[in-house]
Amino acid sequence: GEDVEQSLFLSVREGDSSVINCTYTDSSSTYLYWYKQEPGAGLQLLTYIFSNMDMKQDQRLTVLLNKKDKHLSLRIADTQTGDSAIYFCAERVGGGYQKVTFGIGTKLQVIP
Amino acid sequence: EPEVTQTPSHQVTQMGQEVILRCVPISNHLYFYWYRQILGQKVEFLVSFYNNEISEKSEIFDDQFSVERPDGSNFTLKIRSTKLEDSAMYFCASSLGEQFFGPGTRLTVL
């Protein structure tokens, strides 16, 4: 079955790059996602990558996918205090109606 | 930008009581979901709903749970007889492809 693992905590200084890592188990994942959750708020879809891609860039965000190692990462360039949040890695196996399986979330703390 | 909304934001109930959590999905979306997140644990899938019926449900979604789309706009999750372990944040999501989540309802069962 699907399982997604990620580290619990990351602390970076404002202006540095953050790299949040994730591993997943299901090699038939079709999409991999990064969601952001700010305190008291819902899950905001940040970005996603299709499984036949190995990189996607969207402004300050870079997603890298290593399908062989089942490893996904999210790089945030020039991290700001507003980036402090919990970041969830997630995968979807199959078509658009299928469930999403989440990791436990990495809490990113940005130190001014 | 259209968004998924959920009410109430926080619900407190006594064990054994019924609760109904409400969601208004994004209007042109066709698939609807409920997930939950127990404090300190992963976000877990409960159920998906399409074309007025359940598409998939997890082991968590037992006979105490039911979903309904009563009027073409709302999507509800009912828990018939709440247990202490049902205390969690409940997220609704809707999709045409990618899933968009609501802000969640925090359910506290005393």
Side-chain angles (χ1 to χ4, degrees), chain B residues 6-101:
Chain B
Q6 290 185 242
T7 54
S9 56
H10 192 187
Q11 172 95 46
V12 181
T13 191
Q14 295 289 328
M15 192 168 57
Q17 295 295 303
E18 175 183 285
V19 294
I20 298 176
L21 309 183
R22 301 179 194 281
C23 168
V24 179
I26 294 172
S27 61
N28 62 335
H29 284 187
L30 299 177
Y31 304 101
F32 313 107
Y33 312 81
W34 284 100
Y35 292 78
R36 79 172 184 192
Q37 184 182 29
I38 295 171
L39 190 64
Q41 297 185 25
K42 293 185 178 183
V43 176
E44 304 171 288
F45 169 77
L46 292 178
V47 66
S48 59
F49 191 85
Y50 170 71
N51 201 26
N52 280 322
E53 59 184 29
I54 290 173
S55 308
E56 185 182 359
K57 58 184 180 179
S58 71
E59 291 173 355
I60 304 165
F61 194 88
D62 62 21
D63 292 343
Q64 293 298 313
F65 292 88
S66 62
V67 289
E68 200 176 33
R69 190 156 156 80
D71 57 11
S73 64
N74 289 284
F75 179 52
T76 61
L77 174 70
K78 184 193 288 187
I79 310 175
R80 283 189 190 80
S81 177
T82 48
K83 302 189 280 285
L84 294 175
E85 54 265 37
D86 293 328
S87 294
M89 182 74 91
Y90 287 80
F91 293 106
C92 172
S94 70
S95 83
L96 273 179
E98 307 324 314
Q99 292 181 27
F100 292 86
F101 285 76

Side-chain angles (χ1 to χ4, degrees), chain A residues 2 28-31 33 50 91-99:
Chain A
E2 306 96 354
S28 54
S29 295
T30 49
Y31 280 91
Y33 303 92
F50 188 50
E91 65 172 349
R92 191 183 87 207
V93 176
Y97 53 89
Q98 296 290 348
K99 67 184 180 188

Side-chain angles (χ1 to χ4, degrees), chain A residues 2 12 16 60 67-68 85 88 90 96:
Chain A
E2 306 96 354
V12 299
D16 288 350
R60 291 191 298 122
K67 206 172 175 186
K68 175 174 162 289
F88 292 90

Side-chain angles (χ1 to χ4, degrees), chain A residues 44-98:
Chain A
Q44 175 197 354
L45 179 60
L46 263 187
T47 187
Y48 61 92
I49 190 167
F50 188 50
S51 58
N52 69 354
M53 299 168 65
D54 49 26
M55 186 179 95
K56 180 179 179 181
Q57 187 146 6
D58 184 0
Q59 300 181 333
R60 291 191 298 122
L61 305 178
T62 304
V63 179
L64 294 177
L65 175 60
N66 181 330
K67 206 172 175 186
K68 175 174 162 289
D69 293 339
K70 300 194 191 84
H71 183 267
L72 182 75
S73 67
L74 174 70
R75 180 177 179 268
I76 306 172
D78 186 26
T79 314
Q80 302 297 306
T81 53
D83 295 323
S84 293
I86 299 176
Y87 290 81
F88 292 90
C89 174
E91 65 172 349
R92 191 183 87 207
V93 176
Y97 53 89
Q98 296 290 348

